[in-house]
């Protein structure tokens, strides 16, 4: 069942568990992720990131991600992670992604707010959800997700008061925060600022997102979720698990790729299941979650007040204008 972030993260926030995002740049990864979700009856977020397009172009991954989500017997969000350009986010929405992240975290605060607010209005008109990032999550060496290695990550930690202002002004449905986490495999044990997570969770209404989940300890995950994290991003762990499984099954040049594919799928499935069990999302299936994807949703900043017909018309006009500009 294809759903959006609100469908899976709002129940997660209320129930004190987290839903994992697992990037799937090829069919083997996607098959393993879906198999894990259906085996554990867990909601799941599956997608790709702009930095991963060289390994799986956006339009090509949409050919299998969306049909697999619709066919699944559990809630599946198809999410563009770390969309770095406006055009990329628009393309994902046009292809049918049910959620996007517009990462403007390296821009000045006011620019970040303005760009994400505009994209939030557009995403909501599609019935899709949007994630923003405040502060900046850097990258460990050799990270597949990026290369912004920060000398002093604490300078980019998310400020709780600024987070409240950011959510109110942009209307994002989820907020990625920087609290000592980083993309890729950690060379040294990370030190998450759990108090900061708790403070931000108590300050804003939308679910919080932890990027750079691969490599954290089980206790790190449990405490982060306990303090208010509702979405955890995982890629390195399943990526490495697939390769290790294929190496174990490669015994000579007499092997073909079809001999290695099942091993990769099964390894991804097992690693993903471990994370779902750790996040306590197992059993939170389609029987308890209903899809709202395809129905225009109310931006976070207006959820308590509602939207007028004029607001809806304005959003529609914005979307039409964007499509017309791209068609010229």
């Amino acid at each position: 069942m294809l759903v959006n972030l609100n469908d899976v993260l709002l129940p997660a926030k209320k129930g004190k568990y987290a839903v994992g995002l697992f990037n799937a740049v090829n069919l083997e990864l996607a098959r393993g992720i879906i198999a894990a979700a259906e085996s554990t009856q867990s909601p799941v977020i599956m997608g790709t990131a702009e930095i991963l397009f060289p390994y799986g172009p956006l339009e090509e991954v949409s050919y299998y991600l969306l049909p697999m989500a619709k066919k699944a017997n559990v809630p599946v969000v198809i999410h563009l992670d770390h969309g770095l350009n406006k055009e990329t986010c628009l393309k994902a929405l046009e292809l049918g992604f049910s959620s996007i992240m517009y990462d403007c975290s390296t821009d000045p605060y006011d620019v970040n707010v303005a760009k994400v607010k505009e994209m939030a209005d557009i995403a909501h008109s599609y019935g899709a959800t949007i994630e923003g990032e405040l502060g900046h999550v850097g990258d460990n060496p050799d990270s597949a997700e990026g290369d912004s290695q920060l000398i002093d990550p604490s300078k980019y930690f998310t400020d709780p008061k600024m987070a409240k202002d950011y959510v109110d002004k942009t209307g994002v449905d989820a907020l990625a925060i920087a609290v000592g986490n980083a993309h890729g495999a950690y060379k040294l044990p990370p030190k998450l600022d759990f108090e900061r997570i708790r403070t931000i969770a108590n300050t804003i209404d939308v679910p919080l997102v932890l990027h750079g989940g691969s490599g954290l300890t089980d206790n790190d995950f449990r405490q982060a979720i306990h303090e208010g994290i509702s979405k955890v991003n995982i890629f390195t762990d399943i990526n490495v698990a697939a390769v290790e499984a294929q190496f174990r099954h490669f015994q000579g040049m007499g092997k073909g790729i079809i001999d290695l594919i099942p091993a990769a799928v099964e390894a991804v499935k097992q690693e993903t299941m471990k994370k779902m069990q750790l996040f306590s999302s197992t059993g939170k299936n389609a029987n308890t979650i209903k899809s709202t994807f395809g129905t225009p949703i109310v931006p976070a900043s207006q959820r308590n007040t509602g939207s007028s017909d004029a607001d809806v018309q304005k959003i529609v006009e914005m979307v039409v204008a964007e499509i017309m500009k791209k068609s010229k």
Side-chain angles (χ1 to χ4, degrees):
M1 176 172 60
L2 181 62
V3 301
N4 64 31
L5 284 184
N6 283 343
D7 296 320
V8 299
L9 293 190
L10 293 179
K13 179 177 172 62
K14 182 177 180 180
K16 286 289 186 178
Y17 61 91
V19 180
L21 174 140
F22 304 89
N23 285 316
V25 298
N26 67 11
L27 188 57
E28 288 72 44
L29 287 162
R31 287 173 60 196
I33 294 164
I34 290 291
E38 292 189 329
S39 294
T40 61
Q41 285 297 285
S42 173
V44 68
I45 306 163
M46 185 167 65
T48 188
E50 188 162 350
I51 194 71
L52 298 176
F53 288 177
Y55 315 105
L58 181 62
E59 187 165 355
E60 291 184 14
V61 300
S62 74
Y63 297 158
Y64 58 84
L65 289 181
L66 291 164
M68 291 175 77
K70 293 173 182 177
K71 184 180 178 181
N73 64 21
V74 292
V76 181
V77 181
I78 299 301
H79 181 76
L80 170 67
D81 194 36
H82 289 289
L84 304 176
N85 297 287
K86 179 179 179 180
E87 294 74 20
T88 304
C89 293
L90 291 172
K91 182 65 174 179
L93 293 169
E94 291 170 5
L95 288 169
F97 278 55
S98 59
S99 185
I100 60 171
M101 177 195 183
Y102 192 20
D103 184 355
C104 302
S105 60
T106 58
D107 289 323
Y109 180 72
D110 290 344
V111 176
N112 185 348
V113 168
K115 290 167 67 172
V116 174
K117 170 64 170 68
E118 178 189 26
M119 188 55 63
D121 289 339
I122 295 171
H124 290 153
S125 74
Y126 279 84
T129 42
I130 183 169
E131 174 185 331
E133 182 173 322
L134 184 63
H136 182 62
V137 178
D139 305 287
N140 285 297
D142 303 320
S143 167
E145 292 90 339
D147 59 3
S148 55
Q149 297 169 32
L150 308 178
I151 296 175
D152 184 2
S154 64
K155 292 182 178 180
Y156 299 88
F157 280 9
T158 306
D159 177 78
K161 292 182 179 178
M162 192 175 288
K164 175 74 165 63
D165 184 69
Y166 183 84
V167 169
D168 289 345
K169 288 180 176 177
T170 60
V172 293
D173 303 288
L175 181 65
I177 56 175
V179 289
N181 45 320
H183 299 116
Y186 291 91
K187 301 300 181 182
L188 297 172
K191 295 181 179 180
L192 299 185
D193 189 337
F194 296 111
E195 182 177 352
R196 187 178 297 267
I197 295 174
R198 180 170 63 252
T199 301
I200 297 172
N202 290 333
T203 303
I204 66 175
D205 295 328
V206 302
L208 299 182
V209 181
L210 185 70
H211 285 245
S214 294
L216 296 179
T217 68
D218 288 358
N219 286 335
D220 284 335
F221 282 123
R222 292 190 186 100
Q223 187 168 353
I225 293 167
H226 175 74
E227 301 299 351
I229 293 295
S230 302
K231 173 176 175 277
V232 180
N233 287 23
I234 299 290
F235 180 59
T236 301
D237 283 354
I238 62 171
N239 189 31
V240 171
V243 172
E244 289 178 344
Q246 290 182 322
F247 270 122
R248 287 194 297 270
H249 284 73
F250 188 84
Q251 300 171 346
M253 294 308 296
K255 291 281 187 179
I257 192 170
I258 59 172
D259 299 305
L260 304 180
I261 287 174
V265 173
E266 182 63 23
V268 172
K269 175 185 175 182
Q270 293 300 324
E271 187 63 33
T272 303
M273 287 175 62
K274 289 179 185 177
K275 290 297 189 291
M276 290 172 168
Q277 291 160 357
L278 181 59
F279 301 162
S280 298
S281 64
T282 57
K284 311 298 192 301
N285 59 19
N287 294 325
T288 57
I289 298 175
K290 296 181 180 180
S291 173
T292 61
F293 180 58
T295 301
I297 55 179
V298 180
S301 60
Q302 300 177 11
R303 283 178 193 146
N304 295 327
T305 59
S307 298
S308 67
D309 291 341
D311 293 330
V312 175
Q313 181 60 34
K314 182 178 179 181
I315 293 172
V316 171
E317 289 173 355
M318 288 175 61
V319 174
V320 171
E322 289 293 337
I323 294 174
M324 291 299 291
K325 280 195 293 185
K326 291 196 71 179
S327 65
K328 291 180 179 180

